[in-house]
Amino acid sequence: MNTIIKEYQKVAPENVKTWFKVSAADEFPANGGLCVKYKDLQIAVFNFTSRNKWYACQNLCPHKMEMVLSRGMLGDDQDIPKIACPMHKKTFSLESGENLNGDLDAIATYPVKIENNFVYIGFSE
């Protein structure tokens, strides 16, 4: 499973080469997330309606190496949007991927855009 985590790499907006069309925005739960498959990657996509923002990150939690972040709890920590793993409550910034508990490596984050009511995730390949 450790080799899988190496497949996830943070993508900065300026490095997007491919915008992957996910689905209609209204298919996502308000203040919740869904898991999306892109090639061999599982990506968690969040509709953070209380902030009027969308976020995407790897679905793999590095703590126990489980694909669960899309089922995590959205919140904020000092105005930083975060996701908490539903298994052990490890929290990660949805903007930078930083582990807010300070005891794990950062997770990969991906740009998200909404066009014509469709959700797109940005990838560098």
Side-chain angles (χ1 to χ4, degrees):
M1 193 65 118
N2 285 335
T3 58
I4 292 174
I5 202 160
K6 294 176 184 173
E7 299 296 318
Y8 294 93
Q9 300 294 320
K10 180 177 181 169
V11 177
E14 63 271 14
N15 295 330
V16 172
K17 294 181 181 167
T18 302
W19 285 102
F20 177 69
K21 187 176 185 178
V22 176
S23 75
D26 56 12
E27 293 190 23
F28 284 79
N31 293 307
L34 293 175
C35 180
V36 172
K37 184 108 173 177
Y38 176 75
K39 297 186 178 182
D40 290 332
L41 303 177
Q42 288 190 34
I43 307 298
V45 182
F46 301 99
N47 178 7
F48 206 155
T49 51
S50 62
R51 294 178 72 94
N52 197 31
K53 294 233 178 177
W54 289 78
Y55 300 96
C57 67
Q58 69 188 49
N59 196 35
L60 180 65
C61 179
H63 178 231
K64 293 291 184 180
M65 304 303 281
E66 298 287 342
M67 298 286 189
V68 295
L69 292 180
S70 63
R71 298 185 309 228
M73 295 164 283
L74 290 171
D76 66 62
D77 184 356
Q78 299 177 22
D79 207 35
I80 298 171
K82 68 177 183 176
I83 187 66
C85 175
M87 295 181 73
H88 299 99
K89 311 304 183 257
K90 299 291 184 177
T91 59
F92 301 89
S93 165
L94 288 169
E95 294 175 332
S96 69
E98 173 189 6
N99 173 240
L100 300 174
N101 304 96
D103 57 349
L104 295 170
D105 290 336
I107 60 172
T109 56
Y110 302 89
V112 179
K113 70 178 181 178
I114 309 299
E115 283 186 358
N116 299 320
N117 199 43
F118 281 94
V119 179
Y120 294 83
I121 305 170
F123 294 96
S124 59
E125 50 187 43

